[in-house]
Amino acid sequence: MVDALLPFAETFSKRVSEGVLPDVAWAEAAAAATSAAQATASLRPLKGRARPLAEKSVGTADPGATSLAMIFTVMGPHLVRPENAGSAAGAGSTTGKRAGAIA
């Protein structure tokens, strides 16, 4: 999981600090996490449940990293709401934002 988490966190933090909108930064960070998760297929596992399989695991991406990258990719659009969405999600709210929304 850390193989996807670190690239996601680094990319998201960097892009937001550069002034990129959170939804764009999230999408870029999710893409970085996905690339990093796919890159784990070339690694020989040294820890975790795949360790005993060692060489047999090479060629298969780490399932934890892959699933976390998928979560980032799928959940991002639900966490970041455009300012002028005009949806019912913000109706009745004094801030116009959903609870837990990033933007």
Side-chain angles (χ1 to χ4, degrees), residues 58-103:
V58 175
T60 302
D62 178 75
T66 301
S67 61
L68 186 59
M70 291 172 72
I71 290 168
F72 287 142
T73 300
V74 172
M75 293 304 296
H78 299 285
L79 299 175
V80 181
R81 184 174 146 272
E83 291 298 318
N84 56 1
S87 71
S93 172
T94 57
T95 63
K97 295 182 180 180
R98 295 178 308 194
I102 292 175

PDB file of all heavy atoms in Angstrom, residues 58-103:
ATOM      1  N   VAL A  58       6.724 -12.175  -8.936  1.00  0.00           N
ATOM      2  CA  VAL A  58       7.222 -11.207  -9.908  1.00  0.00           C
ATOM      3  C   VAL A  58       6.325 -11.255 -11.148  1.00  0.00           C
ATOM      4  O   VAL A  58       5.986 -12.320 -11.651  1.00  0.00           O
ATOM      5  CB  VAL A  58       8.691 -11.486 -10.284  1.00  0.00           C
ATOM      6  CG1 VAL A  58       9.159 -10.557 -11.384  1.00  0.00           C
ATOM      7  CG2 VAL A  58       9.575 -11.348  -9.051  1.00  0.00           C
ATOM      8  N   GLY A  59       5.898 -10.084 -11.571  1.00  0.00           N
ATOM      9  CA  GLY A  59       4.985  -9.996 -12.711  1.00  0.00           C
ATOM     10  C   GLY A  59       3.556  -9.695 -12.295  1.00  0.00           C
ATOM     11  O   GLY A  59       2.710  -9.377 -13.126  1.00  0.00           O
ATOM     12  N   THR A  60       3.295  -9.792 -10.996  1.00  0.00           N
ATOM     13  CA  THR A  60       1.970  -9.476 -10.461  1.00  0.00           C
ATOM     14  C   THR A  60       2.084  -8.260  -9.554  1.00  0.00           C
ATOM     15  O   THR A  60       2.891  -8.253  -8.628  1.00  0.00           O
ATOM     16  CB  THR A  60       1.413 -10.662  -9.640  1.00  0.00           C
ATOM     17  OG1 THR A  60       1.365 -11.811 -10.486  1.00  0.00           O
ATOM     18  CG2 THR A  60       0.022 -10.365  -9.107  1.00  0.00           C
ATOM     19  N   ALA A  61       1.285  -7.242  -9.858  1.00  0.00           N
ATOM     20  CA  ALA A  61       1.320  -6.008  -9.060  1.00  0.00           C
ATOM     21  C   ALA A  61       0.840  -6.284  -7.638  1.00  0.00           C
ATOM     22  O   ALA A  61      -0.010  -7.154  -7.411  1.00  0.00           O
ATOM     23  CB  ALA A  61       0.454  -4.938  -9.709  1.00  0.00           C
ATOM     24  N   ASP A  62       1.396  -5.536  -6.695  1.00  0.00           N
ATOM     25  CA  ASP A  62       1.010  -5.667  -5.293  1.00  0.00           C
ATOM     26  C   ASP A  62      -0.478  -5.355  -5.142  1.00  0.00           C
ATOM     27  O   ASP A  62      -0.931  -4.280  -5.548  1.00  0.00           O
ATOM     28  CB  ASP A  62       1.828  -4.699  -4.441  1.00  0.00           C
ATOM     29  CG  ASP A  62       1.442  -4.756  -2.985  1.00  0.00           C
ATOM     30  OD1 ASP A  62       1.816  -5.733  -2.328  1.00  0.00           O
ATOM     31  OD2 ASP A  62       0.757  -3.825  -2.524  1.00  0.00           O
ATOM     32  N   PRO A  63      -1.261  -6.274  -4.592  1.00  0.00           N
ATOM     33  CA  PRO A  63      -2.700  -6.042  -4.492  1.00  0.00           C
ATOM     34  C   PRO A  63      -3.076  -4.885  -3.565  1.00  0.00           C
ATOM     35  O   PRO A  63      -4.051  -4.172  -3.821  1.00  0.00           O
ATOM     36  CB  PRO A  63      -3.268  -7.365  -3.976  1.00  0.00           C
ATOM     37  CG  PRO A  63      -2.112  -8.154  -3.490  1.00  0.00           C
ATOM     38  CD  PRO A  63      -0.887  -7.605  -4.125  1.00  0.00           C
ATOM     39  N   GLY A  64      -2.317  -4.654  -2.513  1.00  0.00           N
ATOM     40  CA  GLY A  64      -2.609  -3.534  -1.619  1.00  0.00           C
ATOM     41  C   GLY A  64      -2.400  -2.204  -2.314  1.00  0.00           C
ATOM     42  O   GLY A  64      -3.224  -1.292  -2.220  1.00  0.00           O
ATOM     43  N   ALA A  65      -1.284  -2.078  -3.027  1.00  0.00           N
ATOM     44  CA  ALA A  65      -0.996  -0.843  -3.761  1.00  0.00           C
ATOM     45  C   ALA A  65      -2.019  -0.635  -4.875  1.00  0.00           C
ATOM     46  O   ALA A  65      -2.499   0.483  -5.094  1.00  0.00           O
ATOM     47  CB  ALA A  65       0.415  -0.891  -4.335  1.00  0.00           C
ATOM     48  N   THR A  66      -2.379  -1.711  -5.555  1.00  0.00           N
ATOM     49  CA  THR A  66      -3.346  -1.617  -6.642  1.00  0.00           C
ATOM     50  C   THR A  66      -4.713  -1.192  -6.127  1.00  0.00           C
ATOM     51  O   THR A  66      -5.351  -0.297  -6.696  1.00  0.00           O
ATOM     52  CB  THR A  66      -3.456  -2.973  -7.376  1.00  0.00           C
ATOM     53  OG1 THR A  66      -2.163  -3.313  -7.891  1.00  0.00           O
ATOM     54  CG2 THR A  66      -4.452  -2.912  -8.518  1.00  0.00           C
ATOM     55  N   SER A  67      -5.162  -1.785  -5.033  1.00  0.00           N
ATOM     56  CA  SER A  67      -6.485  -1.439  -4.503  1.00  0.00           C
ATOM     57  C   SER A  67      -6.513  -0.022  -3.955  1.00  0.00           C
ATOM     58  O   SER A  67      -7.501   0.701  -4.142  1.00  0.00           O
ATOM     59  CB  SER A  67      -6.943  -2.448  -3.443  1.00  0.00           C
ATOM     60  OG  SER A  67      -6.054  -2.463  -2.355  1.00  0.00           O
ATOM     61  N   LEU A  68      -5.429   0.433  -3.321  1.00  0.00           N
ATOM     62  CA  LEU A  68      -5.393   1.804  -2.813  1.00  0.00           C
ATOM     63  C   LEU A  68      -5.409   2.803  -3.971  1.00  0.00           C
ATOM     64  O   LEU A  68      -6.124   3.808  -3.910  1.00  0.00           O
ATOM     65  CB  LEU A  68      -4.163   2.023  -1.933  1.00  0.00           C
ATOM     66  CG  LEU A  68      -4.101   3.372  -1.240  1.00  0.00           C
ATOM     67  CD1 LEU A  68      -5.327   3.595  -0.340  1.00  0.00           C
ATOM     68  CD2 LEU A  68      -2.825   3.492  -0.431  1.00  0.00           C
ATOM     69  N   ALA A  69      -4.676   2.522  -5.034  1.00  0.00           N
ATOM     70  CA  ALA A  69      -4.692   3.389  -6.218  1.00  0.00           C
ATOM     71  C   ALA A  69      -6.097   3.441  -6.822  1.00  0.00           C
ATOM     72  O   ALA A  69      -6.561   4.507  -7.249  1.00  0.00           O
ATOM     73  CB  ALA A  69      -3.682   2.902  -7.247  1.00  0.00           C
ATOM     74  N   MET A  70      -6.786   2.320  -6.831  1.00  0.00           N
ATOM     75  CA  MET A  70      -8.161   2.290  -7.343  1.00  0.00           C
ATOM     76  C   MET A  70      -9.083   3.132  -6.465  1.00  0.00           C
ATOM     77  O   MET A  70      -9.944   3.853  -6.971  1.00  0.00           O
ATOM     78  CB  MET A  70      -8.664   0.846  -7.419  1.00  0.00           C
ATOM     79  CG  MET A  70      -7.974   0.030  -8.489  1.00  0.00           C
ATOM     80  SD  MET A  70      -8.407  -1.723  -8.428  1.00  0.00           S
ATOM     81  CE  MET A  70     -10.068  -1.676  -9.021  1.00  0.00           C
ATOM     82  N   ILE A  71      -8.900   3.055  -5.169  1.00  0.00           N
ATOM     83  CA  ILE A  71      -9.719   3.850  -4.240  1.00  0.00           C
ATOM     84  C   ILE A  71      -9.492   5.336  -4.490  1.00  0.00           C
ATOM     85  O   ILE A  71     -10.446   6.110  -4.580  1.00  0.00           O
ATOM     86  CB  ILE A  71      -9.414   3.470  -2.775  1.00  0.00           C
ATOM     87  CG1 ILE A  71      -9.940   2.066  -2.483  1.00  0.00           C
ATOM     88  CG2 ILE A  71      -9.994   4.499  -1.813  1.00  0.00           C
ATOM     89  CD1 ILE A  71      -9.455   1.478  -1.174  1.00  0.00           C
ATOM     90  N   PHE A  72      -8.228   5.740  -4.622  1.00  0.00           N
ATOM     91  CA  PHE A  72      -7.936   7.149  -4.908  1.00  0.00           C
ATOM     92  C   PHE A  72      -8.605   7.586  -6.209  1.00  0.00           C
ATOM     93  O   PHE A  72      -9.172   8.671  -6.290  1.00  0.00           O
ATOM     94  CB  PHE A  72      -6.427   7.376  -5.012  1.00  0.00           C
ATOM     95  CG  PHE A  72      -5.701   7.326  -3.702  1.00  0.00           C
ATOM     96  CD1 PHE A  72      -4.439   6.747  -3.622  1.00  0.00           C
ATOM     97  CD2 PHE A  72      -6.243   7.867  -2.551  1.00  0.00           C
ATOM     98  CE1 PHE A  72      -3.742   6.720  -2.432  1.00  0.00           C
ATOM     99  CE2 PHE A  72      -5.556   7.836  -1.342  1.00  0.00           C
ATOM    100  CZ  PHE A  72      -4.307   7.257  -1.291  1.00  0.00           C
ATOM    101  N   THR A  73      -8.526   6.761  -7.228  1.00  0.00           N
ATOM    102  CA  THR A  73      -9.071   7.100  -8.540  1.00  0.00           C
ATOM    103  C   THR A  73     -10.593   7.214  -8.496  1.00  0.00           C
ATOM    104  O   THR A  73     -11.178   8.161  -9.021  1.00  0.00           O
ATOM    105  CB  THR A  73      -8.652   6.049  -9.581  1.00  0.00           C
ATOM    106  OG1 THR A  73      -7.220   6.028  -9.643  1.00  0.00           O
ATOM    107  CG2 THR A  73      -9.205   6.370 -10.948  1.00  0.00           C
ATOM    108  N   VAL A  74     -11.245   6.274  -7.847  1.00  0.00           N
ATOM    109  CA  VAL A  74     -12.707   6.240  -7.816  1.00  0.00           C
ATOM    110  C   VAL A  74     -13.290   7.273  -6.860  1.00  0.00           C
ATOM    111  O   VAL A  74     -14.299   7.914  -7.168  1.00  0.00           O
ATOM    112  CB  VAL A  74     -13.191   4.816  -7.445  1.00  0.00           C
ATOM    113  CG1 VAL A  74     -14.683   4.789  -7.210  1.00  0.00           C
ATOM    114  CG2 VAL A  74     -12.820   3.837  -8.546  1.00  0.00           C
ATOM    115  N   MET A  75     -12.664   7.460  -5.715  1.00  0.00           N
ATOM    116  CA  MET A  75     -13.232   8.349  -4.699  1.00  0.00           C
ATOM    117  C   MET A  75     -12.975   9.827  -4.949  1.00  0.00           C
ATOM    118  O   MET A  75     -13.737  10.673  -4.491  1.00  0.00           O
ATOM    119  CB  MET A  75     -12.716   7.969  -3.313  1.00  0.00           C
ATOM    120  CG  MET A  75     -13.217   6.619  -2.835  1.00  0.00           C
ATOM    121  SD  MET A  75     -15.016   6.469  -2.830  1.00  0.00           S
ATOM    122  CE  MET A  75     -15.454   7.684  -1.619  1.00  0.00           C
ATOM    123  N   GLY A  76     -11.923  10.150  -5.664  1.00  0.00           N
ATOM    124  CA  GLY A  76     -11.567  11.545  -5.903  1.00  0.00           C
ATOM    125  C   GLY A  76     -12.710  12.419  -6.382  1.00  0.00           C
ATOM    126  O   GLY A  76     -12.984  13.468  -5.785  1.00  0.00           O
ATOM    127  N   PRO A  77     -13.419  12.035  -7.430  1.00  0.00           N
ATOM    128  CA  PRO A  77     -14.516  12.876  -7.914  1.00  0.00           C
ATOM    129  C   PRO A  77     -15.636  13.068  -6.889  1.00  0.00           C
ATOM    130  O   PRO A  77     -16.360  14.050  -6.950  1.00  0.00           O
ATOM    131  CB  PRO A  77     -15.040  12.115  -9.139  1.00  0.00           C
ATOM    132  CG  PRO A  77     -13.892  11.285  -9.582  1.00  0.00           C
ATOM    133  CD  PRO A  77     -13.156  10.919  -8.321  1.00  0.00           C
ATOM    134  N   HIS A  78     -15.760  12.162  -5.941  1.00  0.00           N
ATOM    135  CA  HIS A  78     -16.806  12.272  -4.928  1.00  0.00           C
ATOM    136  C   HIS A  78     -16.383  13.157  -3.756  1.00  0.00           C
ATOM    137  O   HIS A  78     -17.219  13.647  -3.002  1.00  0.00           O
ATOM    138  CB  HIS A  78     -17.187  10.890  -4.402  1.00  0.00           C
ATOM    139  CG  HIS A  78     -17.723  10.006  -5.475  1.00  0.00           C
ATOM    140  ND1 HIS A  78     -18.984  10.153  -6.007  1.00  0.00           N
ATOM    141  CD2 HIS A  78     -17.150   8.974  -6.158  1.00  0.00           C
ATOM    142  CE1 HIS A  78     -19.170   9.251  -6.949  1.00  0.00           C
ATOM    143  NE2 HIS A  78     -18.079   8.526  -7.059  1.00  0.00           N
ATOM    144  N   LEU A  79     -15.080  13.348  -3.596  1.00  0.00           N
ATOM    145  CA  LEU A  79     -14.572  14.159  -2.492  1.00  0.00           C
ATOM    146  C   LEU A  79     -14.384  15.616  -2.879  1.00  0.00           C
ATOM    147  O   LEU A  79     -14.421  16.487  -2.039  1.00  0.00           O
ATOM    148  CB  LEU A  79     -13.237  13.595  -2.005  1.00  0.00           C
ATOM    149  CG  LEU A  79     -13.283  12.175  -1.468  1.00  0.00           C
ATOM    150  CD1 LEU A  79     -11.876  11.689  -1.144  1.00  0.00           C
ATOM    151  CD2 LEU A  79     -14.160  12.100  -0.240  1.00  0.00           C
ATOM    152  N   VAL A  80     -14.151  15.853  -4.159  1.00  0.00           N
ATOM    153  CA  VAL A  80     -13.899  17.200  -4.645  1.00  0.00           C
ATOM    154  C   VAL A  80     -15.096  17.650  -5.467  1.00  0.00           C
ATOM    155  O   VAL A  80     -15.467  17.001  -6.425  1.00  0.00           O
ATOM    156  CB  VAL A  80     -12.622  17.230  -5.501  1.00  0.00           C
ATOM    157  CG1 VAL A  80     -12.345  18.635  -5.982  1.00  0.00           C
ATOM    158  CG2 VAL A  80     -11.441  16.712  -4.698  1.00  0.00           C
ATOM    159  N   ARG A  81     -15.676  18.763  -5.068  1.00  0.00           N
ATOM    160  CA  ARG A  81     -16.885  19.262  -5.736  1.00  0.00           C
ATOM    161  C   ARG A  81     -16.572  20.604  -6.384  1.00  0.00           C
ATOM    162  O   ARG A  81     -16.095  21.516  -5.718  1.00  0.00           O
ATOM    163  CB  ARG A  81     -18.003  19.426  -4.711  1.00  0.00           C
ATOM    164  CG  ARG A  81     -19.323  19.836  -5.284  1.00  0.00           C
ATOM    165  CD  ARG A  81     -20.360  19.816  -4.152  1.00  0.00           C
ATOM    166  NE  ARG A  81     -21.334  20.848  -4.331  1.00  0.00           N
ATOM    167  CZ  ARG A  81     -21.231  22.093  -3.881  1.00  0.00           C
ATOM    168  NH1 ARG A  81     -20.192  22.463  -3.216  1.00  0.00           N
ATOM    169  NH2 ARG A  81     -22.189  22.953  -4.092  1.00  0.00           N
ATOM    170  N   PRO A  82     -16.854  20.759  -7.686  1.00  0.00           N
ATOM    171  CA  PRO A  82     -16.646  22.054  -8.335  1.00  0.00           C
ATOM    172  C   PRO A  82     -17.504  23.132  -7.671  1.00  0.00           C
ATOM    173  O   PRO A  82     -18.598  22.862  -7.192  1.00  0.00           O
ATOM    174  CB  PRO A  82     -17.091  21.830  -9.774  1.00  0.00           C
ATOM    175  CG  PRO A  82     -17.110  20.353  -9.962  1.00  0.00           C
ATOM    176  CD  PRO A  82     -17.329  19.748  -8.597  1.00  0.00           C
ATOM    177  N   GLU A  83     -17.022  24.359  -7.647  1.00  0.00           N
ATOM    178  CA  GLU A  83     -17.709  25.475  -6.997  1.00  0.00           C
ATOM    179  C   GLU A  83     -19.109  25.728  -7.559  1.00  0.00           C
ATOM    180  O   GLU A  83     -20.025  26.033  -6.840  1.00  0.00           O
ATOM    181  CB  GLU A  83     -16.870  26.751  -7.139  1.00  0.00           C
ATOM    182  CG  GLU A  83     -15.588  26.709  -6.326  1.00  0.00           C
ATOM    183  CD  GLU A  83     -15.834  26.580  -4.839  1.00  0.00           C
ATOM    184  OE1 GLU A  83     -16.741  27.241  -4.311  1.00  0.00           O
ATOM    185  OE2 GLU A  83     -15.104  25.821  -4.197  1.00  0.00           O
ATOM    186  N   ASN A  84     -19.288  25.621  -8.845  1.00  0.00           N
ATOM    187  CA  ASN A  84     -20.580  25.961  -9.456  1.00  0.00           C
ATOM    188  C   ASN A  84     -21.354  24.724  -9.914  1.00  0.00           C
ATOM    189  O   ASN A  84     -22.011  24.754 -10.931  1.00  0.00           O
ATOM    190  CB  ASN A  84     -20.374  26.924 -10.629  1.00  0.00           C
ATOM    191  CG  ASN A  84     -19.428  26.366 -11.669  1.00  0.00           C
ATOM    192  OD1 ASN A  84     -18.943  25.255 -11.531  1.00  0.00           O
ATOM    193  ND2 ASN A  84     -19.152  27.134 -12.696  1.00  0.00           N
ATOM    194  N   ALA A  85     -21.278  23.662  -9.122  1.00  0.00           N
ATOM    195  CA  ALA A  85     -21.946  22.422  -9.513  1.00  0.00           C
ATOM    196  C   ALA A  85     -23.459  22.554  -9.501  1.00  0.00           C
ATOM    197  O   ALA A  85     -24.150  21.932 -10.293  1.00  0.00           O
ATOM    198  CB  ALA A  85     -21.533  21.276  -8.597  1.00  0.00           C
ATOM    199  N   GLY A  86     -24.009  23.358  -8.589  1.00  0.00           N
ATOM    200  CA  GLY A  86     -25.451  23.559  -8.534  1.00  0.00           C
ATOM    201  C   GLY A  86     -26.238  22.309  -8.196  1.00  0.00           C
ATOM    202  O   GLY A  86     -27.405  22.192  -8.512  1.00  0.00           O
ATOM    203  N   SER A  87     -25.600  21.361  -7.535  1.00  0.00           N
ATOM    204  CA  SER A  87     -26.289  20.123  -7.205  1.00  0.00           C
ATOM    205  C   SER A  87     -27.056  20.276  -5.898  1.00  0.00           C
ATOM    206  O   SER A  87     -26.863  21.208  -5.146  1.00  0.00           O
ATOM    207  CB  SER A  87     -25.284  18.980  -7.088  1.00  0.00           C
ATOM    208  OG  SER A  87     -24.505  19.150  -5.932  1.00  0.00           O
ATOM    209  N   ALA A  88     -27.904  19.320  -5.628  1.00  0.00           N
ATOM    210  CA  ALA A  88     -28.694  19.331  -4.398  1.00  0.00           C
ATOM    211  C   ALA A  88     -27.840  18.984  -3.190  1.00  0.00           C
ATOM    212  O   ALA A  88     -28.268  19.140  -2.063  1.00  0.00           O
ATOM    213  CB  ALA A  88     -29.844  18.335  -4.518  1.00  0.00           C
ATOM    214  N   ALA A  89     -26.593  18.528  -3.418  1.00  0.00           N
ATOM    215  CA  ALA A  89     -25.735  18.130  -2.300  1.00  0.00           C
ATOM    216  C   ALA A  89     -25.467  19.293  -1.358  1.00  0.00           C
ATOM    217  O   ALA A  89     -25.334  19.109  -0.160  1.00  0.00           O
ATOM    218  CB  ALA A  89     -24.404  17.580  -2.821  1.00  0.00           C
ATOM    219  N   GLY A  90     -25.404  20.510  -1.901  1.00  0.00           N
ATOM    220  CA  GLY A  90     -25.124  21.654  -1.055  1.00  0.00           C
ATOM    221  C   GLY A  90     -26.374  22.353  -0.576  1.00  0.00           C
ATOM    222  O   GLY A  90     -26.311  23.315   0.170  1.00  0.00           O
ATOM    223  N   ALA A  91     -27.540  21.892  -0.989  1.00  0.00           N
ATOM    224  CA  ALA A  91     -28.789  22.547  -0.605  1.00  0.00           C
ATOM    225  C   ALA A  91     -28.996  22.479   0.897  1.00  0.00           C
ATOM    226  O   ALA A  91     -28.812  21.440   1.509  1.00  0.00           O
ATOM    227  CB  ALA A  91     -29.964  21.884  -1.323  1.00  0.00           C
ATOM    228  N   GLY A  92     -29.352  23.621   1.472  1.00  0.00           N
ATOM    229  CA  GLY A  92     -29.609  23.666   2.901  1.00  0.00           C
ATOM    230  C   GLY A  92     -28.363  23.885   3.731  1.00  0.00           C
ATOM    231  O   GLY A  92     -28.432  24.094   4.919  1.00  0.00           O
ATOM    232  N   SER A  93     -27.203  23.853   3.103  1.00  0.00           N
ATOM    233  CA  SER A  93     -25.957  24.077   3.824  1.00  0.00           C
ATOM    234  C   SER A  93     -25.593  25.546   3.765  1.00  0.00           C
ATOM    235  O   SER A  93     -25.742  26.185   2.740  1.00  0.00           O
ATOM    236  CB  SER A  93     -24.841  23.250   3.169  1.00  0.00           C
ATOM    237  OG  SER A  93     -23.593  23.591   3.720  1.00  0.00           O
ATOM    238  N   THR A  94     -25.105  26.069   4.860  1.00  0.00           N
ATOM    239  CA  THR A  94     -24.758  27.491   4.883  1.00  0.00           C
ATOM    240  C   THR A  94     -23.464  27.755   4.124  1.00  0.00           C
ATOM    241  O   THR A  94     -23.241  28.840   3.641  1.00  0.00           O
ATOM    242  CB  THR A  94     -24.593  27.988   6.332  1.00  0.00           C
ATOM    243  OG1 THR A  94     -23.601  27.199   6.971  1.00  0.00           O
ATOM    244  CG2 THR A  94     -25.917  27.925   7.073  1.00  0.00           C
ATOM    245  N   THR A  95     -22.614  26.735   3.973  1.00  0.00           N
ATOM    246  CA  THR A  95     -21.363  26.935   3.257  1.00  0.00           C
ATOM    247  C   THR A  95     -21.472  26.509   1.806  1.00  0.00           C
ATOM    248  O   THR A  95     -20.624  26.833   1.010  1.00  0.00           O
ATOM    249  CB  THR A  95     -20.214  26.129   3.903  1.00  0.00           C
ATOM    250  OG1 THR A  95     -20.522  24.740   3.813  1.00  0.00           O
ATOM    251  CG2 THR A  95     -20.025  26.535   5.354  1.00  0.00           C
ATOM    252  N   GLY A  96     -22.488  25.743   1.456  1.00  0.00           N
ATOM    253  CA  GLY A  96     -22.619  25.239   0.090  1.00  0.00           C
ATOM    254  C   GLY A  96     -21.717  24.056  -0.183  1.00  0.00           C
ATOM    255  O   GLY A  96     -21.576  23.642  -1.311  1.00  0.00           O
ATOM    256  N   LYS A  97     -21.064  23.526   0.858  1.00  0.00           N
ATOM    257  CA  LYS A  97     -20.165  22.393   0.671  1.00  0.00           C
ATOM    258  C   LYS A  97     -20.669  21.205   1.464  1.00  0.00           C
ATOM    259  O   LYS A  97     -21.267  21.356   2.510  1.00  0.00           O
ATOM    260  CB  LYS A  97     -18.757  22.750   1.127  1.00  0.00           C
ATOM    261  CG  LYS A  97     -18.131  23.827   0.290  1.00  0.00           C
ATOM    262  CD  LYS A  97     -16.723  24.097   0.745  1.00  0.00           C
ATOM    263  CE  LYS A  97     -16.082  25.194  -0.107  1.00  0.00           C
ATOM    264  NZ  LYS A  97     -14.735  25.464   0.313  1.00  0.00           N
ATOM    265  N   ARG A  98     -20.396  20.027   0.923  1.00  0.00           N
ATOM    266  CA  ARG A  98     -20.764  18.815   1.632  1.00  0.00           C
ATOM    267  C   ARG A  98     -19.787  18.568   2.761  1.00  0.00           C
ATOM    268  O   ARG A  98     -18.642  18.962   2.690  1.00  0.00           O
ATOM    269  CB  ARG A  98     -20.682  17.605   0.686  1.00  0.00           C
ATOM    270  CG  ARG A  98     -21.661  17.640  -0.430  1.00  0.00           C
ATOM    271  CD  ARG A  98     -21.450  16.445  -1.291  1.00  0.00           C
ATOM    272  NE  ARG A  98     -20.025  16.404  -1.651  1.00  0.00           N
ATOM    273  CZ  ARG A  98     -19.528  15.656  -2.602  1.00  0.00           C
ATOM    274  NH1 ARG A  98     -20.287  14.871  -3.270  1.00  0.00           N
ATOM    275  NH2 ARG A  98     -18.252  15.665  -2.871  1.00  0.00           N
ATOM    276  N   ALA A  99     -20.263  17.909   3.772  1.00  0.00           N
ATOM    277  CA  ALA A  99     -19.391  17.544   4.882  1.00  0.00           C
ATOM    278  C   ALA A  99     -18.299  16.630   4.352  1.00  0.00           C
ATOM    279  O   ALA A  99     -18.568  15.681   3.616  1.00  0.00           O
ATOM    280  CB  ALA A  99     -20.178  16.839   5.976  1.00  0.00           C
ATOM    281  N   GLY A 100     -17.067  16.932   4.667  1.00  0.00           N
ATOM    282  CA  GLY A 100     -15.954  16.097   4.256  1.00  0.00           C
ATOM    283  C   GLY A 100     -15.403  16.421   2.884  1.00  0.00           C
ATOM    284  O   GLY A 100     -14.449  15.811   2.441  1.00  0.00           O
ATOM    285  N   ALA A 101     -15.980  17.397   2.171  1.00  0.00           N
ATOM    286  CA  ALA A 101     -15.484  17.736   0.841  1.00  0.00           C
ATOM    287  C   ALA A 101     -14.158  18.466   0.960  1.00  0.00           C
ATOM    288  O   ALA A 101     -13.921  19.217   1.899  1.00  0.00           O
ATOM    289  CB  ALA A 101     -16.503  18.613   0.121  1.00  0.00           C
ATOM    290  N   ILE A 102     -13.282  18.241   0.007  1.00  0.00           N
ATOM    291  CA  ILE A 102     -11.963  18.869   0.000  1.00  0.00           C
ATOM    292  C   ILE A 102     -12.083  20.320  -0.427  1.00  0.00           C
ATOM    293  O   ILE A 102     -11.470  21.198   0.124  1.00  0.00           O
ATOM    294  CB  ILE A 102     -10.997  18.116  -0.929  1.00  0.00           C
ATOM    295  CG1 ILE A 102     -10.714  16.751  -0.337  1.00  0.00           C
ATOM    296  CG2 ILE A 102      -9.713  18.895  -1.114  1.00  0.00           C
ATOM    297  CD1 ILE A 102      -9.888  15.867  -1.205  1.00  0.00           C
ATOM    298  N   ALA A 103     -12.850  20.568  -1.456  1.00  0.00           N
ATOM    299  CA  ALA A 103     -12.976  21.960  -1.959  1.00  0.00           C
ATOM    300  C   ALA A 103     -14.362  22.484  -1.739  1.00  0.00           C
ATOM    301  O   ALA A 103     -15.304  21.801  -1.596  1.00  0.00           O
ATOM    302  CB  ALA A 103     -12.628  21.988  -3.434  1.00  0.00           C
TER     303      ALA A 103
END
